[in-house]
Amino acid sequence: MSSKPEITGNEPAPRLNRAAIAKRAARDLVDGSTVNLGIGIPAMCADFLPDGVELLYHAENGILGFKELSAPGEGDPNLMDAGGKFPKLVPGMAFFDSVESFSLIRGGHIDVTVLGALQVSRSGDLANWVVPKRGIGSIGGAMDLAANAKKVVIAMEHNAHGDIAKIVEECTFPLTAPGCVDEIITDIAVIEIDRENGLMVLREVAPGWTFDDVQARTEARLEAADKIDQMA
Amino acid sequence: MSSKPEITGNEPAPRLNRAAIAKRAARDLVDGSTVNLGIGIPAMCADFLPDGVELLYHAENGILGFKELSAPGEGDPNLMDAGGKFPKLVPGMAFFDSVESFSLIRGGHIDVTVLGALQVSRSGDLANWVVPKRGIGSIGGAMDLAANAKKVVIAMEHNAHGDIAKIVEECTFPLTAPGCVDEIITDIAVIEIDRENGLMVLREVAPGWTFDDVQARTEARLEAADKIDQMA
Amino acid sequence: MQLYSAKTLRSVCDARPKDRTIRLVVPINKISNSFSEAVADIPSGASIMIGGFGGAGGQPTRLMLALRDLGIGDLTIIGNVAGISKTTGYGWPDDLDPIDQGMFFESGQATKITCSFPVPGTTNPLSEIEKAWREGNAEVDIVPQGTLIERIRAAGAGIPAFYTPTGVGTSVAEGKEHRDFDGRTHLLEHALTADFALIRAQKADTRGNLQYIGTSRAFNPAMATAARTTIVEVDEIVGIGGIDSERVGTLSTYVDRIVQRETGDYLP
Amino acid sequence: MQLYSAKTLRSVCDARPKDRTIRLVVPINKISNSFSEAVADIPSGASIMIGGFGGAGGQPTRLMLALRDLGIGDLTIIGNVAGISKTTGYGWPDDLDPIDQGMFFESGQATKITCSFPVPGTTNPLSEIEKAWREGNAEVDIVPQGTLIERIRAAGAGIPAFYTPTGVGTSVAEGKEHRDFDGRTHLLEHALTADFALIRAQKADTRGNLQYIGTSRAFNPAMATAARTTIVEVDEIVGIGGIDSERVGTLSTYVDRIVQRETGDYLP
């Protein structure tokens, strides 16, 4: 089971909020790419795209090119996103069935997917579909996306409730896909995964945080990048 | 190679012409079924449907529900049939791509296909795509249709030029599909294939022809049906 | 070029055990007068695909209600996102009480479901499927969504099995054949068929061609090809020519029965 | 439920050697100014899918002519019905001289073709492909049409291999793995990709969504998904919104380059 890292004293500085995590994740999204955002923090990336960046959003249920959602209480059940919300009809959208939708995913045509996680291991294994003690979970499109998107970014809170580590040496939760994660963006750090060498490289920390502060809240062994930047 | 059956004397009566073969084949097509007709005599079946019978014609290149062709010199290259001719646009047609077209075929959703043949064996093997001495041929959709249509009917002339048998004990030409033919309709006979028992049953003969006349022009051993009808 | 005689070839080729039942497409016979009539012959123990994605759009809600009212049991359901709308509102307008596949577990009619998303993230309140599973009354087979739809497509397309990279190194891979292609490991997955498919479309013509709208396609077109009998719920039945030939989403050959909803039905 | 650690699972799962090149869809960059510009970087030795079915409709004729004029050699062509229009008129209006894939064999630029229908029934006159084959200048790989399109589709859809009943007991089955499913023998067939796909559509929007018309779909949509670079010839380029969202036949993600034909081009 997940271990509790030893944390001494209070947090060195406030953690980023969920919107700030999304904003940081959005900064890495390349103009014009085909992107699938998971529910929660990942979906919020769409609200924080840098100027001049336009993405082609894909939803598993068969849309490419949707943008903002309809107002609550409005919207058309026949124009849903994969999270069960109702986007607005915009020009340039394309509708298709689930066969085509998952051909796009499995065929490696999604440039980036941003997903949430329960655990990520040092070698980039991802667990995000079932909590072992519950014994039943939902896979949905997560396994297809994690195994086949060109780039897999995890946007999540660094620790679970009770300061439980989510970034671990080895996942103890059932996997979504092994060795798939490229980058993790949390409320205290940006970590790149060098899968070839099985290394987690800490590239950025939240303002007021140090490598040691982050390592203390991370079960997996971290390497320091040559230069550790401040998240912004 | 194909053997020449021993034929003594002249033909007992005129053979049916190509149109009459098509007409006889058309008689067995069931109202409302999804049908794919090969080029040549099979395609002519469409001109001889019994009253009240309407078929849903499928062409490999992606149409369901076409009917008559445009006049020579007219027609739209974007509305072609699989034989390279141009049908007229009629209500109720559906257009689709080759993936869907062959899903329909391979998935067993074509009720009947009528094809031509170079050779058919007693056990229902079909050879219709390459003449060995030429060494190169075209498969097209023939292997998919022959292997997967619910019913495979061969409509052809009984013998090749020079009285060569086309209905043989075993095919010597490269096969299109083994054990696939249900019925053969020729210019002198209607033969049903009992594949389970490896028997060819002669059910009908052209007017003026007898079992022995047909057997003499057939390499494969024929069984006589309880009652042999006259083709009409 | 070599010559191949049937004798040498037959050694690798069994007789074809394919289904040779000729399925007619006589237009008039496809239209059912009511939802209850359309599902009347579904027996206990049947396997039933239910179309849509999850949520109201594209879900054959009236056919599902008719199936529930039929009162048969021991059903195997094949769906996608299943049974989470009632507890989370997923994919339903705010002003309506959601109806979802959980109804067959609430009623005890279904004993198994194959799907990709059977439970919501939260457990309060418990969904009907999770409740049935916890009480040992339902087997829940959780399949990655892309594998699920591809297995259904395969059944319709005459592909008995295929290899996919999805699920390798997870619990989904247990007991499955693994094989490397171009240095990457894949799983062998098999076609998934069913006795019946209940699907939803916007329009049918009297021949059975279907037109879909927006994201209501989802699992409907593939399920139409994969089940032995396909029953479709539509908003509107139109004459031949009432559907643009460029917009036929399901070919009439795949459709066995069509039922039209009442005009102004309040359910989406 | 069991727990699975990465360590035990990794034994069956190699690292993913997938292509991680991120392909941009910045609209403005997709439009090429000319057919020659659109094909300019195709090197000798490339494998090239050519869309359509055979015949004029759906064939990227202007791209083919530009490719021929590029003068590169040692090409592998992947097509369907190929090189029979010139000698038989197949699929061409009566008043035009047909242009077909035979041009690459006439010019000696292609050394191999994978297709389903490379020669017409008659040999007088010989088609360019048959001539090249007889002279030992071309390898001709003849594949059943349904297997060919499914292999192309598989390449785009991340399926490295699948089983099909088509071709069992024929020369097509030689050297292939056989396997029985439900008592019927099937062949293992592999995905078929290419360096480039030259395809044809009616319309593109500036983002790269494509709309097809009539029977001009054929091999075009699947080839668009399967090649590393997809180049499309269209009659018309429209703005975003100029294609009905319900009628997008190829998603913009698959399209790399678009070239518009001249208005009133006499070629179909």
Side-chain angles (χ1 to χ4, degrees):
Chain A
M1 297 303 296
S2 300
S3 58
K4 190 167 173 171
E6 286 196 32
I7 303 175
T8 53
N10 292 329
E11 308 254 301
R15 294 183 177 222
L16 303 188
N17 62 21
R18 291 162 60 86
I21 300 173
K23 190 176 175 186
R24 175 61 192 82
R27 226 182 60 197
D28 290 352
L29 297 172
V30 178
D31 187 38
S33 47
T34 300
V35 173
N36 185 298
L37 303 178
I39 52 172
I41 296 173
M44 294 164 68
C45 290
D47 299 330
F48 297 103
L49 288 186
D51 283 349
V53 172
E54 208 172 325
L55 303 178
L56 204 54
Y57 294 114
H58 168 262
E60 293 94 305
N61 62 320
I63 337 178
L64 194 65
F66 64 102
K67 292 198 193 299
E68 75 266 55
L69 298 181
S70 302
E74 292 177 13
D76 177 354
N78 289 324
L79 211 178
M80 192 180 80
D81 70 14
K85 308 294 183 202
F86 305 119
K88 288 182 184 166
L89 185 69
V90 294
M93 271 183 163
F95 302 125
F96 40 91
D97 78 344
S98 297
V99 172
E100 181 156 0
S101 192
F102 280 86
S103 294
L104 191 82
I105 297 174
R106 195 180 42 241
H109 307 287
I110 300 287
D111 293 316
V112 184
T113 187
V114 185
L115 300 170
L118 297 167
Q119 294 182 327
V120 181
S121 81
R122 181 146 61 87
S123 56
D125 295 348
L126 170 65
N128 76 350
W129 74 275
V130 63
V131 180
K133 68 170 185 250
R134 183 169 171 192
I136 190 170
S138 286
I139 296 174
M143 286 193 183
D144 290 282
L145 284 164
N148 300 298
K150 286 180 186 157
K151 184 175 180 185
V152 177
V153 176
I154 301 301
M156 65 173 189
E157 281 144 350
H158 201 90
N159 297 98
H161 291 293
D163 281 327
I164 302 293
K166 298 172 73 175
I167 302 175
V168 295
E169 277 296 310
E170 284 201 6
C171 293
T172 53
F173 285 16
L175 294 190
T176 303
C180 67
V181 178
D182 293 278
E183 193 180 30
I184 309 171
I185 292 165
T186 76
D187 46 5
I188 58 171
V190 174
I191 295 166
E192 197 181 296
I193 299 185
D194 171 1
R195 283 201 304 271
E196 226 160 90
N197 301 300
L199 299 178
M200 275 190 165
V201 181
L202 184 69
R203 296 219 165 272
E204 299 177 28
V205 292
W209 288 68
T210 65
F211 176 92
D212 289 344
D213 295 332
V214 173
Q215 179 66 79
R217 283 151 185 92
T218 307
E219 187 205 293
R221 191 185 73 238
L222 301 175
E223 315 295 321
D226 291 345
K227 179 169 173 298
I228 296 182
D229 290 324
Q230 193 169 291
M231 290 174 77
Chain B
M1 300 301 296
S2 299
S3 57
K4 188 165 173 173
E6 287 198 30
I7 303 173
T8 52
N10 292 328
E11 307 256 302
R15 294 182 177 222
L16 303 188
N17 62 21
R18 290 161 61 87
I21 300 173
K23 189 176 176 186
R24 175 60 193 82
R27 226 182 61 198
D28 289 353
L29 297 172
V30 178
D31 187 37
S33 45
T34 299
V35 173
N36 185 299
L37 303 178
I39 52 172
I41 296 172
M44 294 164 69
C45 290
D47 300 329
F48 298 104
L49 289 185
D51 284 348
V53 172
E54 207 172 326
L55 303 179
L56 204 54
Y57 294 113
H58 168 263
E60 293 94 306
N61 61 319
I63 338 179
L64 194 65
F66 64 101
K67 291 199 193 299
E68 75 266 53
L69 299 182
S70 301
E74 291 177 14
D76 177 355
N78 290 323
L79 211 178
M80 193 180 79
D81 69 14
K85 308 293 183 200
F86 306 119
K88 288 183 185 165
L89 185 69
V90 294
M93 269 184 165
F95 301 125
F96 40 90
D97 79 344
S98 297
V99 173
E100 180 155 0
S101 192
F102 280 86
S103 294
L104 190 83
I105 296 173
R106 195 181 41 241
H109 307 287
I110 299 287
D111 293 317
V112 184
T113 188
V114 185
L115 300 171
L118 296 167
Q119 293 183 327
V120 181
S121 81
R122 181 146 61 87
S123 56
D125 297 347
L126 170 64
N128 75 351
W129 74 273
V130 62
V131 180
K133 69 169 184 249
R134 183 169 170 192
I136 190 169
S138 286
I139 296 173
M143 285 193 183
D144 290 282
L145 285 163
N148 299 298
K150 287 178 186 159
K151 184 175 181 186
V152 177
V153 176
I154 301 301
M156 65 175 189
E157 279 145 352
H158 200 91
N159 296 97
H161 291 295
D163 281 327
I164 302 293
K166 298 172 72 175
I167 302 174
V168 294
E169 277 296 309
E170 284 200 7
C171 293
T172 53
F173 285 17
L175 294 190
T176 303
C180 67
V181 178
D182 294 277
E183 194 180 28
I184 308 169
I185 293 166
T186 76
D187 47 3
I188 60 171
V190 174
I191 295 166
E192 196 181 298
I193 298 185
D194 171 0
R195 283 200 304 270
E196 226 160 273
N197 301 301
L199 299 178
M200 276 191 162
V201 182
L202 184 70
R203 295 220 165 273
E204 299 177 27
V205 293
W209 288 70
T210 65
F211 176 92
D212 290 341
D213 296 330
V214 173
Q215 180 67 77
R217 283 150 186 92
T218 307
E219 186 205 293
R221 193 185 70 239
L222 301 175
E223 314 295 319
D226 290 345
K227 181 171 173 298
I228 297 181
D229 291 322
Q230 192 168 293
M231 290 175 77
Chain C
M1 174 170 280
Q2 271 184 275
L3 298 180
Y4 307 93
S5 80
K7 193 171 255 170
T8 56
L9 291 165
R10 192 57 55 84
S11 60
V12 297
C13 174
D14 288 327
R16 296 174 312 159
K18 68 186 180 186
D19 175 12
R20 295 182 155 264
T21 319
I22 293 190
R23 169 147 109 161
L24 301 187
V25 293
V26 183
I28 194 114
N29 290 349
K30 291 193 179 180
I31 299 173
S32 294
N33 294 313
S34 68
F35 291 99
S36 57
E37 179 190 308
V39 301
D41 66 344
I42 300 183
S44 284
S47 56
I48 304 175
M49 292 178 172
I50 296 182
F53 183 82
Q59 176 175 273
T61 307
R62 290 285 171 201
L63 283 171
M64 289 162 64
L65 292 168
L67 177 65
R68 186 195 56 186
D69 295 346
L70 190 60
I72 52 171
D74 196 22
L75 299 178
T76 293
I77 303 292
I78 297 161
N80 177 37
V81 172
I84 73 162
S85 295
K86 197 175 162 188
T87 57
T88 67
Y90 179 94
W92 274 77
D94 294 345
D95 57 336
L96 288 173
D97 286 335
I99 292 170
D100 65 31
Q101 297 173 25
M103 73 168 88
F104 303 110
F105 295 88
E106 188 177 9
S107 65
Q109 290 174 285
T111 52
K112 183 176 176 187
I113 186 164
T114 295
C115 63
S116 83
F117 209 102
V119 294
T122 55
T123 53
N124 187 13
L126 274 185
S127 71
E128 297 298 340
I129 291 176
E130 186 160 359
K131 211 182 288 175
W133 176 78
R134 288 191 182 196
E135 290 164 3
N137 295 329
E139 183 185 342
V140 180
D141 177 19
I142 308 164
V143 179
Q145 195 166 140
T147 301
L148 182 60
I149 189 65
E150 188 69 14
R151 289 175 61 197
I152 293 167
R153 186 240 169 212
I159 305 289
F162 59 89
Y163 289 93
T164 177
T166 301
V168 171
T170 77
S171 57
V172 160
E174 281 177 79
K176 289 182 183 155
E177 289 184 37
H178 289 66
R179 182 161 174 172
D180 287 1
F181 294 94
D182 287 332
R184 189 172 182 199
T185 306
H186 293 76
L187 303 179
L188 184 67
E189 295 281 0
H190 294 260
L192 181 63
T193 186
D195 298 321
F196 294 87
L198 309 185
I199 67 165
R200 173 83 178 267
Q202 183 196 20
K203 277 190 201 177
D205 68 20
T206 49
R207 186 182 284 169
N209 289 308
L210 305 183
Q211 176 177 307
Y212 300 97
I213 187 165
T215 53
S216 73
R217 291 159 170 87
F219 275 57
N220 288 308
M223 285 178 169
T225 70
R228 279 174 279 279
T229 299
T230 294
I231 309 173
V232 57
E233 170 178 346
V234 295
D235 295 342
E236 192 185 359
I237 298 177
V238 297
I240 302 294
I243 294 180
D244 181 350
S245 298
E246 303 285 356
R247 281 209 50 197
V248 176
T250 287
L251 299 174
S252 58
T253 299
Y254 296 118
V255 173
D256 297 288
R257 298 174 202 164
I258 309 161
V259 203
Q260 183 172 330
R261 296 175 134 235
E262 280 181 28
T263 315
D265 190 336
Y266 73 97
L267 283 179
Chain D
M1 175 171 280
Q2 271 184 272
L3 299 180
Y4 307 92
S5 79
K7 193 172 257 172
T8 56
L9 290 165
R10 193 55 56 84
S11 61
V12 295
C13 176
D14 289 326
R16 296 175 312 158
K18 68 187 178 186
D19 175 11
R20 292 179 158 268
T21 318
I22 293 190
R23 170 146 107 160
L24 302 186
V25 293
V26 183
I28 194 116
N29 291 349
K30 291 192 178 179
I31 299 174
S32 295
N33 294 312
S34 68
F35 291 100
S36 57
E37 179 189 308
V39 300
D41 67 343
I42 301 182
S44 283
S47 56
I48 304 174
M49 291 177 171
I50 296 181
F53 183 82
Q59 176 174 275
T61 306
R62 289 287 173 198
L63 284 171
M64 290 163 65
L65 291 168
L67 177 65
R68 186 196 55 186
D69 293 346
L70 189 60
I72 53 170
D74 197 22
L75 300 176
T76 293
I77 303 292
I78 297 161
N80 177 37
V81 172
I84 73 163
S85 293
K86 197 174 162 191
T87 56
T88 67
Y90 180 92
W92 274 77
D94 293 346
D95 56 338
L96 288 173
D97 285 335
I99 291 170
D100 64 33
Q101 296 173 25
M103 72 169 88
F104 303 110
F105 296 87
E106 189 177 6
S107 65
Q109 290 174 284
T111 51
K112 184 178 176 186
I113 187 164
T114 296
C115 63
S116 83
F117 209 102
V119 295
T122 54
T123 54
N124 187 11
L126 274 186
S127 71
E128 297 299 340
I129 292 177
E130 184 159 0
K131 212 182 290 176
W133 175 80
R134 287 192 183 195
E135 291 165 2
N137 295 327
E139 184 185 341
V140 181
D141 177 20
I142 308 163
V143 179
Q145 194 165 140
T147 300
L148 182 61
I149 188 66
E150 188 70 12
R151 289 176 61 197
I152 294 168
R153 186 241 169 208
I159 304 290
F162 59 89
Y163 289 93
T164 176
T166 302
V168 171
T170 77
S171 56
V172 160
E174 279 177 81
K176 291 185 181 152
E177 289 183 36
H178 289 67
R179 182 160 173 173
D180 287 1
F181 295 94
D182 287 332
R184 189 172 180 198
T185 306
H186 293 75
L187 303 179
L188 183 68
E189 294 281 359
H190 295 261
L192 181 64
T193 186
D195 299 320
F196 293 87
L198 309 185
I199 66 165
R200 174 82 180 267
Q202 184 195 19
K203 277 191 204 179
D205 67 21
T206 50
R207 184 181 286 168
N209 289 308
L210 305 183
Q211 175 176 307
Y212 299 97
I213 186 165
T215 53
S216 74
R217 291 162 169 86
F219 276 57
N220 288 306
M223 286 180 169
T225 70
R228 280 174 280 278
T229 299
T230 294
I231 309 173
V232 57
E233 169 178 345
V234 295
D235 294 341
E236 191 185 1
I237 298 177
V238 297
I240 302 294
I243 294 179
D244 182 350
S245 297
E246 304 284 358
R247 280 209 52 196
V248 176
T250 287
L251 299 174
S252 58
T253 299
Y254 296 118
V255 173
D256 297 287
R257 298 174 203 163
I258 309 162
V259 202
Q260 183 173 330
R261 297 175 134 236
E262 279 180 31
T263 315
D265 191 335
Y266 73 94
L267 283 179

